[in-house]
Amino acid sequence: MASFSMEDFVGDGALKGLLPKLLEEGWDDVPTLKIMNAEDMNAINMSPQQKDALEIRSYLHDRALMQYGDILEASGKGLPELLNLSTGDLSSQFGMKRGHIARFMDRTSACSSPLRIPPRRSTNITSRNNSIYKAYGSVNSSKMQNRTRSLQRNNTNSDKSLEQSLADFKIKDGYIFKGIVAAGPPVSRACGCVQPPPVSENVAPYSVIENISVQKLTPEYKIGVERLVKSKTPPMKASELWREKPAVILCIRRPGCIMCRAEAHQLYAKKPIFDALGIQLFAVLHEYIEPEVKDFWPRYWGGVVVYDQSMEFFRALGGGKLLKDKFLSGFLLNPRAIANYKRAKATGAELNLNGEGDIKGGLFIVGGGKSGIAYQFIERNFGDWAPVAEVIEICTKLQVILVGSLNPVLQLLCYLNLNLTIFSST
């Protein structure tokens, strides 16, 4: 699985000397850099060699083949020319293994589930030409066409809580979850002799999470930032995380777990979409082992990492108690968990066995300020992930609700996509 470290991404090739310029212009993390288009490249005077390097490395990153980045770039060939080489040439010239060749030549799939959008620089300004803005519209294609009606409809309901507004929200995967609480399906274990543990069917009250004491372990990843926060930061209330903007809170069962790493990676890979929606990304750990944090960030996750020593986020997911499972009954005898493991292994993520791994995790989407919990996903089976399309849809719906709460003038400005974000103060 490819790292989200910018230094690892650019390697020793033509992009290395461009890092200061990329930082200056805001292209300071891998997911954002990968969505540059020709106009963006020209704006910072990238050379043809640098453009080819970015195209090659973005393609390799999507397929977890970054170990070939330097040698492929040094060949002087562009990506189209490389893709037209024979299997024998790729093997003899670049030492590419047969399994890696198959992955390299497969243009239809990618290990990291890349953003399938026209490249465009991510900004907080909702520009009409911003392809990220168009991208999340493709998740809900009728949304952009009905924007005016949506704004009018949501304006009449602006006093509703997020829980009320999203209570009947339908997911397009074919599932309709009760309210805004989601979980993987219960699976019969050991021919029905072992029953899966029950999960909460009710969203956690906002009051349960707002005062949780958390400690910041890492900053948001940018080029050149320190790998860990230099000094031990004082504890703070969790509500400070989403005080100004909504947030996705990913509760990690164990940062060395291959399934947790794969989940974090595929979620953070969509960072430009969350940036365009004005959504922050946080990962929460219930155990602090410094080497594990260093291995996890920023390779698998470039967002802020916080430490919940009291495990209150994890208790909230379990309806007030920690949701636990045993390795034998929860993994070895659980076909769903085995399938989740195989899915994660296919991404190329590495694993270790360090730390507590029996406490289940999950995900929250929390509205800005005190507006409430918009969505809650519970890891019923080891390795269950909140579907990314589902998370993006909820965040998109949340954005529309927040726009609906603005006064009509600001709604019109947001609709016209002038230089105003939907989170501007009234």
Side-chain angles (χ1 to χ4, degrees), residues 71-278:
I71 190 171
L72 290 179
E73 183 184 335
S75 71
K77 298 179 172 64
L79 181 61
E81 188 176 357
L82 290 169
L83 289 171
N84 285 327
L85 293 177
S86 67
T87 299
D89 288 338
L90 289 172
S91 177
S92 61
Q93 294 181 33
F94 306 112
M96 198 175 288
K97 299 177 181 179
R98 291 190 65 86
H100 292 169
I101 291 173
R103 196 189 306 166
F104 179 77
M105 300 302 291
D106 183 2
R107 309 184 196 190
T108 63
S109 63
C111 294
S112 60
S113 183
L115 295 172
R116 303 204 177 276
I117 56 177
R120 168 61 54 183
R121 181 179 183 176
S122 171
T123 68
N124 286 329
I125 298 173
T126 52
S127 166
R128 187 179 308 190
N129 295 319
N130 190 323
S131 62
I132 299 293
Y133 205 71
K134 296 174 185 176
Y136 70 74
S138 69
V139 178
N140 185 357
S141 58
S142 62
K143 173 179 174 288
M144 296 303 292
Q145 299 171 6
N146 298 311
R147 171 68 68 125
T148 304
R149 291 194 296 273
S150 296
L151 290 174
Q152 293 171 344
R153 187 163 56 247
N154 281 286
N155 190 47
T156 63
N157 297 323
S158 60
D159 293 332
K160 287 185 177 182
S161 69
L162 292 180
E163 288 88 347
Q164 290 172 318
S165 300
L166 292 171
D168 59 351
F169 190 66
K170 296 182 179 181
I171 305 305
K172 296 184 178 180
D173 290 10
Y175 298 101
I176 300 178
F177 295 106
K178 181 177 180 181
I180 52 173
V181 179
V187 177
S188 176
R189 308 174 186 182
C191 300
C193 296
V194 179
Q195 296 302 315
V199 299
S200 175
E201 295 183 351
N202 299 313
V203 64
Y206 176 72
S207 59
V208 170
I209 68 167
E210 66 174 332
N211 293 319
I212 295 175
S213 177
V214 296
Q215 193 170 22
K216 187 176 179 181
L217 298 181
T218 75
E220 182 179 9
Y221 178 77
K222 302 292 181 185
I223 302 172
V225 299
E226 292 291 331
R227 292 282 171 152
L228 292 175
V229 175
K230 282 186 177 181
S231 58
K232 196 172 184 180
T233 60
M236 63 180 179
K237 289 184 178 181
S239 57
E240 289 298 307
L241 301 177
W242 55 80
R243 181 167 58 87
E244 296 182 355
K245 296 200 297 187
V248 171
I249 310 293
L250 179 62
C251 298
I252 301 291
R253 179 164 46 82
R254 189 173 64 82
C257 165
I258 188 171
M259 295 176 284
C260 300
R261 287 177 167 184
E263 177 186 19
H265 194 281
Q266 55 90 35
L267 184 65
Y268 184 75
K270 304 300 186 292
K271 180 181 180 290
I273 295 179
F274 292 111
D275 284 346
L277 289 167

Side-chain angles (χ1 to χ4, degrees), residues 1-2 62-64 103 110-113 253-267 296 299-300 331 335-352 379 381-385:
M1 179 172 283
D62 289 339
R63 287 156 179 79
R103 196 189 306 166
C111 294
S112 60
S113 183
R253 179 164 46 82
R254 189 173 64 82
C257 165
I258 188 171
M259 295 176 284
C260 300
R261 287 177 167 184
E263 177 186 19
H265 194 281
Q266 55 90 35
L267 184 65
F296 180 70
R299 181 175 183 182
Y300 299 101
F331 183 74
R336 171 83 177 195
I338 296 295
N340 288 341
Y341 171 79
K342 292 179 179 179
R343 172 181 63 173
K345 188 176 180 180
T347 67
E350 298 176 356
L351 79 159
N352 63 53
E379 184 187 18
N381 308 287
F382 285 133
D384 283 348
W385 300 348

Side-chain angles (χ1 to χ4, degrees), residues 404-416:
S405 68
L406 301 177
N407 67 47
V409 175
L410 287 177
Q411 285 188 38
L412 179 61
L413 289 173
C414 289
Y415 174 63
L416 294 175

